[in-house]
Amino acid sequence: MMDYRDPGYLKIKEELFRHLRVSSDAYKDSYLMRRIRARMRKLGITNFMEYYRLIKTNKKELDELLLTVAINVTEFFRDPVVWKTFEKKVIPELVKIKKEQHSSSLRIWSAACSTGQEPYSIAMTLYEALGEDLGGFRVQILATDIDREALAVAMRGEYPVDVVEKQVPRHMIPKYFTRVSDERYRVSPKIRRLVKFQQFNLFSSRYPTGFDVIFIRNVLIYVKREAQEEIFARLYNSLEDHGFLILGKTETILGNAAKLFKLYDLVARIYRKNLEVKKHGQSFGGR
């Protein structure tokens, strides 16, 4: 039985979100409770108030809890249909738009990038679709996450051999990876060059702007609907008018935020910015 009114649990939430700098109702209680209990079990603690006293006096444990809450499981080319649709439909459409605009810039944001597999997958897919010269485009991939330790792993760009060989299409491994030891592959410099990693909190009120595509996959399912709507509103403002929004395969846009985007591909969970919203002079979210 999960008691979301337990005084100790409520104090832990308050402390947690004070450090994350978000309101304490941003995340779903069911998700938070699981994450907090996981830390408590590891330490052999059964009482929420006891754990609260620990995180108040032990900065290291508070950091561990923050990482536990912020964790985002990721892998290379997760959900292959998404990557096929991105390569065969989205990228050609973007190339067409960019030609019409006489633009040679391509900007993509991988939000909640965790340990880097997603932004590197984006870079590899761009090379596969556009060729060795990237179709003449200047490509910038911004990859953000709240977790500094995950970002440190991402910036190193080294991954276990079994992970790479299981998740990356076989023909792509020699093109985009170097074997650096018996246990590790390193992402090639031409792939790493396209990606800029940066710490960012999705609950921030100021978002970067000017993106052609935003990937925000398998993270919003842990966030309450009201907080989701605020995030979607800010993502809307972050996209260019022709922009694409790519979600996780079990995610959908609900409530008022659903008006902001039009479905582009249901199976791949890809949306496009709804320009009717701008035409009617409505304003959404903060920047």
Side-chain angles (χ1 to χ4, degrees):
M1 176 83 180
M2 292 190 174
D3 183 4
Y4 302 136
R5 293 164 301 177
D6 181 290
Y9 170 69
L10 293 174
K11 281 185 169 293
I12 293 168
K13 264 179 75 168
E14 190 181 332
E15 188 69 13
L16 193 57
F17 290 119
R18 194 160 64 79
H19 286 270
L20 285 174
R21 292 194 287 280
V22 299
S23 66
S24 59
D25 62 350
Y27 280 98
K28 294 173 183 173
D29 277 304
S30 55
Y31 168 72
L32 273 184
M33 185 76 86
R34 283 198 309 274
R35 295 297 191 188
I36 292 167
R37 280 187 187 277
R39 282 304 306 165
M40 288 168 61
R41 272 197 307 276
K42 195 161 189 178
L43 298 166
I45 295 172
T46 56
N47 181 281
F48 283 116
M49 197 59 84
E50 184 186 344
Y51 185 63
Y52 170 69
R53 286 193 288 269
L54 176 64
I55 64 171
K56 282 296 284 181
T57 56
N58 187 325
K59 173 73 167 60
K60 192 164 181 289
E61 180 54 33
L62 176 61
D63 287 342
E64 285 297 329
L65 181 59
L66 289 168
L67 295 182
T68 301
V69 168
I71 200 164
N72 178 27
V73 177
T74 188
E75 57 189 58
F76 289 105
F77 300 102
R78 185 174 182 176
D79 305 324
V81 68
V82 175
W83 297 97
K84 187 175 180 184
T85 308
F86 178 56
E87 180 181 351
K88 303 296 184 187
K89 281 180 73 177
V90 174
I91 294 174
E93 183 120 358
L94 277 175
V95 169
K96 182 169 165 279
I97 290 164
K98 292 292 181 175
K99 280 182 180 170
E100 289 166 1
Q101 294 176 345
H102 304 290
S103 169
S104 60
S105 166
L106 204 52
R107 295 189 72 225
I108 298 172
W109 181 12
S110 169
C113 70
S114 189
T115 45
Q117 288 93 322
E118 180 177 90
Y120 290 137
S121 296
I122 294 168
M124 286 184 264
T125 305
L126 288 169
Y127 268 109
E128 290 293 295
L130 299 173
E132 197 57 36
D133 68 345
L134 292 170
F137 285 103
R138 290 190 316 277
V139 173
Q140 294 175 294
I141 301 167
L142 174 66
T144 65
D145 202 275
I146 196 172
D147 179 347
R148 284 187 187 280
E149 289 188 20
L151 288 172
V153 172
M155 285 187 269
R156 276 197 300 277
E158 291 187 8
Y159 300 94
V161 164
D162 58 339
V163 166
V164 173
E165 292 182 349
K166 182 180 173 189
Q167 297 173 2
V168 179
R170 187 171 297 177
H171 73 281
M172 293 170 73
I173 296 173
K175 286 204 265 186
Y176 305 121
F177 290 86
T178 305
R179 186 81 173 252
V180 289
S181 72
D182 288 345
E183 292 93 28
R184 315 288 271 181
Y185 277 108
R186 182 183 296 144
V187 178
S188 70
K190 72 177 185 181
I191 294 297
R192 294 169 72 189
R193 224 179 359 249
L194 299 185
V195 186
K196 177 190 175 188
F197 291 99
Q198 190 175 303
Q199 189 183 35
F200 181 77
N201 185 342
L202 282 171
F203 296 104
S204 167
S205 60
R206 293 185 67 82
Y207 272 39
T209 58
F211 296 102
D212 300 298
V213 186
I214 298 175
F215 285 75
I216 180 161
R217 306 183 66 225
N218 309 302
V219 65
L220 294 179
I221 47 174
Y222 306 120
V223 175
K224 281 191 176 175
R225 183 160 158 174
E226 298 79 16
Q228 280 188 27
E229 288 195 22
E230 287 182 24
I231 290 170
F232 280 126
R234 291 176 183 135
L235 293 169
Y236 179 89
N237 289 329
S238 290
L239 280 172
E240 294 288 348
D241 284 351
H242 56 260
F244 294 84
L245 181 71
I246 303 181
L247 304 182
K249 69 175 181 181
T250 62
E251 295 173 311
T252 189
I253 306 175
L254 301 170
N256 288 329
K259 299 172 190 167
L260 300 176
F261 300 94
K262 289 181 174 176
L263 188 62
Y264 177 76
D265 189 290
L266 176 62
V267 178
R269 283 294 193 275
I270 300 176
Y271 294 80
R272 292 194 76 171
K273 191 166 176 173
N274 181 6
L275 297 182
E276 293 300 312
V277 172
K278 287 184 80 175
K279 281 182 195 170
H280 290 107
Q282 291 166 276
S283 178
F284 291 85
R287 263 162 65 162

